[in-house]
Each structure stands twice: as structure tokens, then as C-alpha cells.
Amino acid sequence: MEARVVQDLTLEPGDEVLEIGTGSGYLTALLAALGAVVTSVEINPRLAAMARQNLDRAGRSEVTLAVGDGTNPSPSTICP
């Protein structure tokens, strides 16, 4: 499902994406693999930490991952 969504977006390298709800980081990694500049916000710190590990393992350490409420324009903490 996620791969289909990414196909339909027709992203180009350098496009900026704000993802609300990082979850495992799978969709985040797909977006970054297409060259998008991805900022993702996850409200659950434990999920954010897991996603950061998954993204690093996938070679997507360039993704900006924030912990906070996606309805708040200023996420509280950026995960290293």
C-alpha cells in the first residue's frame, strides 16, 4: 500500500515532504529513497526511536525525525 502511495505522488529529487505519523519509518524510507527531503513527526517517543533505528539501518540517516504532536507546527525534539 505504501509503495503504491509513493508511486502516485510522482516525487522528484529535492521535493520536500512533511510526514505526520512516522510509525516504523517504512514510508519515510521510501520517500527518502526517491530523493525527497523528508521531515517526519511522530508523537510516540518509543515509535520515533524505533523508526530512527530502522531509518539508520536502511541508510536513510538524512531524514529529519521529530518527536511531537503533528498538529503543532513546532515539534518538541529532533531525534539524533
Side-chain angles (χ1 to χ4, degrees), residues 38-61:
V38 182
T39 300
S40 189
V41 182
E42 175 57 55
I43 198 167
N44 183 319
R46 292 168 82 190
L47 276 178
M50 180 186 70
R52 177 81 276 157
Q53 290 176 345
N54 291 340
L55 290 164
D56 290 346
R57 256 194 312 271
R60 299 293 162 204
S61 58

Side-chain angles (χ1 to χ4, degrees), residues 2-79:
E2 287 90 348
R4 179 62 188 194
V5 168
V6 170
Q7 284 178 330
D8 288 345
L9 289 174
T10 61
L11 289 174
E12 296 184 18
D15 284 351
E16 294 182 17
V17 175
L18 173 61
E19 177 190 35
I20 306 299
T22 313
S24 69
Y26 179 71
L27 179 59
T28 316
L30 291 176
L31 295 167
L34 293 175
V37 177
V38 182
T39 300
S40 189
V41 182
E42 175 57 55
I43 198 167
N44 183 319
R46 292 168 82 190
L47 276 178
M50 180 186 70
R52 177 81 276 157
Q53 290 176 345
N54 291 340
L55 290 164
D56 290 346
R57 256 194 312 271
R60 299 293 162 204
S61 58
E62 75 277 13
V63 170
T64 300
L65 179 56
V67 177
D69 184 345
T71 63
N72 180 350
S74 300
S76 58
T77 306
I78 301 295
C79 294

